[in-house]
Amino acid sequence: MPPPNSLFGRSRGPARPLYEIIQRSGERPEDFHYKSFLATATRPEVTDLSVHYPQRWHVEEFFKFNQALGWQRAGTLNLNIRYGHMTLALVAQAAIHQFRQRLGAPFATWDATHLAQDVFCGLAGDVRVQDDTIVVTCHNAPNGQRLREHYEHLPVKLNAQKIDPKIPWLYNFKLDFRFK
């Protein structure tokens, strides 16, 4: 006998009707194969597939493009740790997205794994503290000139946009980059 409130036993809420949607693939009867999906509401399948799926596709692309940032695994079931992990993955994704756009083609279309292997693994450099600024010097950066335009003298550029360049979680140090 299954334990109460399990997937196989009694549910916690009121019973809901379930609907099965069956997708047939293949053009000839001998090639037909079927996939079925369970849904909690009846909706027009053709509209869902033709109108709503393209909107969902951007979500699918996001996870495919950024799997290597940690979306492919869950190290724990602790929600606080999972939320922290997802938050850091989203911060990394946002930073990498801007980095890709600033590098331009062909880097803008690379997924996280490709970018890590062919850009970040090839970087060499050092980190130094000068007064109230952490200076990261990068050697062998692809499109160094384009990166220089965006990241060198970063505190000055942020001040010009009326953005405080101090980073609270870096003990209020500023961050600047050099490309050699």
Side-chain angles (χ1 to χ4, degrees):
M1 177 164 184
N5 296 327
S6 75
L7 289 174
F8 304 105
R10 296 170 40 200
S11 66
R12 294 182 186 196
R16 282 193 246 174
L18 298 175
Y19 304 92
E20 183 178 23
I21 301 169
I22 301 172
Q23 172 188 345
R24 183 186 78 193
S25 298
E27 292 185 25
R28 297 180 309 231
E30 61 270 13
D31 295 331
F32 288 168
H33 61 277
Y34 301 89
K35 283 186 180 177
S36 62
F37 303 91
L38 204 55
T40 57
T42 58
R43 299 194 303 217
E45 297 87 9
V46 173
T47 303
D48 274 353
L49 289 173
S50 61
V51 175
H52 298 134
Y53 186 77
Q55 295 167 350
R56 178 187 160 96
W57 182 247
H58 297 295
V59 174
E60 302 286 340
E61 282 181 327
F62 169 83
F63 285 106
K64 179 180 179 276
F65 208 58
N66 296 293
Q67 275 301 301
L69 297 177
W71 294 110
Q72 78 276 26
R73 66 183 179 283
T76 180
L77 295 178
N78 180 307
L79 283 181
N80 292 323
I81 293 171
R82 291 291 301 139
Y83 288 150
H85 180 216
M86 287 187 283
T87 300
L88 290 175
L90 286 171
V91 169
Q93 186 276 332
I96 290 171
H97 175 76
Q98 286 184 356
F99 184 75
R100 277 188 198 111
Q101 301 312 309
R102 289 176 177 156
L103 272 177
F107 308 101
T109 59
W110 290 1
D111 66 12
T113 302
H114 192 179
L115 199 64
Q117 290 171 345
D118 292 347
V119 175
F120 297 131
C121 286
L123 289 176
D126 62 79
V127 178
R128 297 174 189 231
V129 176
Q130 293 177 348
D131 301 322
D132 63 345
T133 305
I134 298 172
V135 179
V136 179
T137 303
C138 298
H139 302 278
N140 306 325
N143 288 2
Q145 184 56 38
R146 289 198 71 189
L147 293 173
R148 194 173 286 119
E149 294 169 17
H150 294 286
Y151 294 105
E152 275 194 3
H153 310 295
L154 188 59
V156 173
K157 291 175 181 175
L158 291 172
N159 275 328
Q161 296 175 15
K162 301 199 182 336
I163 299 172
D164 185 4
K166 296 177 184 171
I167 304 171
W169 50 271
L170 282 177
Y171 302 102
N172 283 328
F173 279 95
K174 300 171 188 174
L175 188 60
D176 201 0
F177 295 89
R178 301 288 180 267
F179 296 92
K180 305 277 181 175

